Amino acid sequence: MSFRNNAYATVWEVTPKTATITSARISTSRKDKETDKYETDFSGFVSFLGTAAASKALSLKKEDRIKLLDVAVTSKYDKEQNKTYTNFNVFDFELATKGDSVQTPKNSSPEKEVDSGEVEAEDLPF
């Protein structure tokens, strides 16, 4: 799914920084259509920014699943160190419910019940 809005992520570690910043290590994955296996496509540290997001992130536990609602990626070049810093920021998210998962089984559609095709005499209109 990658790091983007409406992607699902797994939380691995949460660290409080300030009242408005909580750091966490998360990962996202996507399903390889050829192998039918999940491959990690993003893994790294993100900052939950803002009072609401930072405090809500403090309640997250290892292996919690979240849906990223509002995210942004920024980069800053430090001329003195000749280095570019990339920041992954989360401004809003929600806990993923059990039904909200990218790992739903392929054959998850409900089976329709089929009768024998025989019509009962009492159901006939004449």
Side-chain angles (χ1 to χ4, degrees):
M1 292 289 294
S2 71
F3 183 78
R4 62 179 173 81
N5 289 341
N6 298 314
Y8 292 92
T10 303
V11 177
W12 299 107
E13 179 182 331
V14 177
T15 308
K17 296 290 183 185
T18 67
T20 58
I21 301 171
T22 298
S23 178
R25 188 168 56 90
I26 67 169
S27 65
T28 63
S29 58
R30 65 174 181 79
K31 190 172 191 176
D32 186 322
K33 292 178 183 177
E34 292 179 13
T35 64
D36 225 25
K37 293 183 180 180
Y38 286 89
E39 298 177 357
T40 300
D41 58 3
F42 173 82
S43 180
F45 286 91
V46 300
S47 294
F48 291 88
L49 299 179
T51 307
S55 63
K56 189 164 58 166
L58 287 175
S59 66
L60 294 172
K61 298 172 190 68
K62 184 178 181 178
E63 296 185 14
D64 275 350
R65 299 273 298 152
I66 60 172
K67 182 176 181 181
L68 303 171
L69 299 176
D70 187 10
V71 300
V73 179
T74 61
S75 60
K76 181 180 179 182
Y77 178 71
D78 186 336
K79 195 174 187 178
E80 293 175 6
Q81 295 184 1
N82 194 27
K83 189 172 182 180
T84 301
Y85 295 94
T86 303
N87 300 302
F88 299 92
N89 303 316
V90 179
F91 300 100
D92 194 15
F93 71 96
E94 65 187 13
L95 284 173
T97 60
K98 293 201 185 248
D100 293 339
S101 177
V102 293
Q103 299 179 7
T104 52
K106 259 188 182 178
N107 300 327
S108 63
S109 60
E111 302 253 345
K112 293 183 180 177
E113 193 173 305
V114 179
D115 62 8
S116 65
E118 295 296 318
V119 179
E120 299 290 327
E122 61 215 32
D123 291 338
L124 294 175
F126 46 88

